[in-house]
Structures are given as structure tokens and as C-alpha cells.
Amino acid sequence: MNDYCRKKNDNKKKICHCKKSQKRVLSIVIQINKNKQRISYRLYNKNEVLDENLIIKPTYRIQDLYDIIDTLLLKYTFIDCISIATPGIVNDNKHFVEAYTGSIIDIHELFEEKYHISTYVFNNANAACVGFSLEHPEYSHIIFHSQPFGAGVGGQGIIANKTLLTGYKGLAGELRYYLHRMQLSDDENKLIWTEAGALEVVTKALLPSIITIGPEAVAISCRMTPDMKEIKKTLSSFIPEEYLPEFYSIQDPIPYMLDGLAHLADEII
């Protein structure tokens, strides 16, 4: 693991919003872009955080996950469940696409055969939405809009009536299939690099979802749109303000994804 760049943990008490569980769950979040890959992990014991780290690499392979799990098993002996978040469509909580090779991997079978540990895969925006709902149990209808920096198209996690909506074959929240058909002033991959352009992309991505779901809260993770008043003002030109939800700016979506993963895994096992 000597090619890893690690961000060291600080000594502050880690806050998480997971319910108490008798399971020890390892949450892993994979973030992929053109320049570098980030793998964040957090090991939970009940609702206590035992260990966590962020690993940054120029490329990402399945071996990186083996390294994390092997290291943690040396330190903590056992893990009850592994829960992984990845971009894109996740159909059956088992498969994901390896970025370096493009191979579709049945990680559920692969990890259970190697480690004899229950392993599940979830979409990262869905995991973030669940994590946000743990912090805000007062809301029954939530949209979590995740817009990775530099990405023209983000993704959305959706909760309705306190139930995560994944849709047929995991399609729910996959904005790439309609955003480029919206009446945008330019290509979304160009717009996203300016604050005005990002505001246009995010609000037009949210518009159909808000109309369809009618959320009480919308959480937005987008570095280029930190002003929620501007978001609300723009959307109010389409939707009467009385019907608009509360908007939350999320500076770092990873803790929400990690908490959400632990909760989702606990619901399955």
C-alpha cells in the first residue's frame, strides 16, 4: 500500500447518526474522476466509529479494497458486514463496474468467498440520502443531489414516505438519461465550471424530481452552488415558493454516505 496517499485522522470525536446495532459494519465509499480516485472507509461497532480513513490514488482496482479489508481484519479481528457505495446504477446490491478495467464484478460473491463476510453494494447518492435522513428524521420526503466537482451530470438519492426509492433495476435518480435533453443554455459539461452555469444545471436537474416527489427537504452537494437562497430563488420562477422544500448545502457528502451505508447494511443483515 506504499503508493497510497492517506489523510490522517484527527483526534476529534467522530459523530455518526447510525442507530445502535449489534453488528460491526465496514462502510466503503468509492469516488472516481479523471484525475484521481478516492476511497473513504469507516468501521462501525454499533454506533461507534472504530476506524476511518481517506485514500487517494491515481487509479483504482479491486485490490485496493482487499488491502483495506486485510488491514482492518489484522487490527480488529472480525467484521460482520461490508457495505460499499459506488457511482452509477446498482441493480441488485451485488455488482459494480471496476473503473480501471471496466469489468462488471459480482463483489457480493467475490468477497463472501474470500472473507466469508456479507457484502453489499449501493449507489452513492442513495447512501448519502439515507445518511441525511438519519440526521433529519423529521423529514419523510427527501432528495439528495450529488454533483461531483467537474461533473456535468450528478445523481440523486430519493426517499419518499421514509422509504428509499431505487426504482426498476436501480434506475431512479440517474440524471444522465434526461439532463442533456433539458433546455440548457450550453453543454452541461461546460456550464458546470461557473457558478451561474452550475446553478442552471443543478436547478434544472432538480425541477422534475421536486415536481414528482414533492420533498420536504433537498440536500445539495455541489461546490459551485453553495448559496441555497439562489437555488430557491431560481426554482421559485418555476414552482410557487409555498411548495418549495427546505434546502441544505452539503459541503462534504462522504460522512452521509458512510452512515447511510452502515444503516442500509444493517437493514439487510
Side-chain angles (χ1 to χ4, degrees):
M1 296 175 68
N2 56 3
D3 58 343
Y4 280 54
C5 171
R6 295 179 175 272
K7 285 195 174 181
K8 299 297 183 181
N9 296 329
D10 56 31
N11 294 320
K12 295 180 181 178
K13 179 177 175 59
K14 304 301 179 184
I15 299 173
C16 66
H17 299 279
C18 294
K19 67 179 183 180
K20 289 187 178 180
S21 166
Q22 297 306 309
K23 303 296 183 181
R24 182 173 287 183
V25 179
L26 171 61
S27 295
I28 302 175
V29 173
I30 300 167
Q31 294 174 289
I32 300 169
N33 61 37
K34 294 179 181 179
N35 299 320
K36 53 190 173 183
Q37 323 306 319
R38 296 171 181 261
I39 306 174
S40 305
Y41 68 82
R42 181 181 282 178
L43 180 62
Y44 297 86
N45 186 38
K46 300 182 180 180
N47 66 335
E48 175 191 4
V49 177
L50 295 182
D51 205 328
E52 68 177 338
N53 215 335
L54 166 63
I55 299 163
I56 303 174
K57 296 189 67 179
T59 60
Y60 156 73
R61 296 189 183 189
I62 193 71
Q63 184 61 46
D64 300 326
L65 301 185
Y66 290 149
D67 290 343
I68 291 170
I69 297 166
D70 291 342
T71 300
L72 290 174
L73 286 174
L74 286 173
K75 293 174 67 176
Y76 299 102
T77 309
F78 76 93
I79 297 170
D80 291 303
C81 181
I82 300 170
S83 190
I84 300 171
T86 182
I89 295 174
V90 177
N91 181 20
D92 53 10
N93 303 129
K94 295 180 181 181
H95 296 81
F96 78 102
V97 178
E98 187 182 46
Y100 189 78
T101 64
S103 302
I104 298 176
I105 300 172
D106 186 340
I107 202 165
H108 180 84
E109 180 179 352
L110 196 66
F111 279 30
E112 290 196 0
E113 182 178 342
K114 180 176 176 64
Y115 295 107
H116 305 288
I117 299 172
S118 298
T119 303
Y120 303 98
V121 185
F122 302 94
N123 170 268
N124 54 8
N126 288 341
C129 194
V130 171
F132 182 84
S133 75
L134 298 175
E135 184 178 86
H136 294 279
E138 68 272 23
Y139 297 129
S140 298
H141 312 282
I142 300 168
I143 295 172
F144 193 107
H145 182 90
S146 176
Q147 187 83 37
F149 182 69
V153 179
Q156 291 176 358
I158 300 167
I159 286 176
N161 293 318
K162 291 191 176 289
T163 300
L164 180 66
L165 301 182
T166 56
Y168 181 58
K169 294 188 176 181
L171 183 65
E174 288 296 317
L175 306 180
R176 53 184 158 149
Y177 295 118
Y178 79 80
L179 186 60
H180 68 282
R181 296 180 180 272
M182 299 288 284
Q183 293 181 345
L184 298 172
S185 62
D186 203 343
D187 182 270
E188 62 268 18
N189 293 299
K190 297 177 181 178
L191 289 171
I192 203 65
W193 291 104
T194 68
E195 289 189 5
L199 178 66
E200 180 183 355
V201 170
V202 171
T203 52
K204 288 190 175 178
L206 281 169
L207 183 58
S209 304
I210 291 174
I211 292 295
T212 303
I213 305 301
E216 302 153 279
V218 171
I220 301 174
S221 174
C222 178
R223 192 184 304 181
M224 299 296 286
T225 60
D227 189 346
M228 295 298 99
K229 290 182 179 178
E230 281 297 314
I231 294 283
K232 188 171 185 177
K233 179 181 176 182
T234 302
L235 284 169
S236 67
S237 66
F238 300 97
I239 305 170
E241 190 168 339
E242 64 184 293
Y243 297 114
L244 289 176
E246 292 293 324
F247 292 92
Y248 292 80
S249 178
I250 305 299
Q251 299 301 312
D252 183 6
I254 300 303
Y256 293 98
M257 294 180 187
L258 292 168
D259 281 0
L261 283 172
H263 181 80
L264 285 165
D266 191 60
E267 291 291 298
I268 293 176
I269 57 178

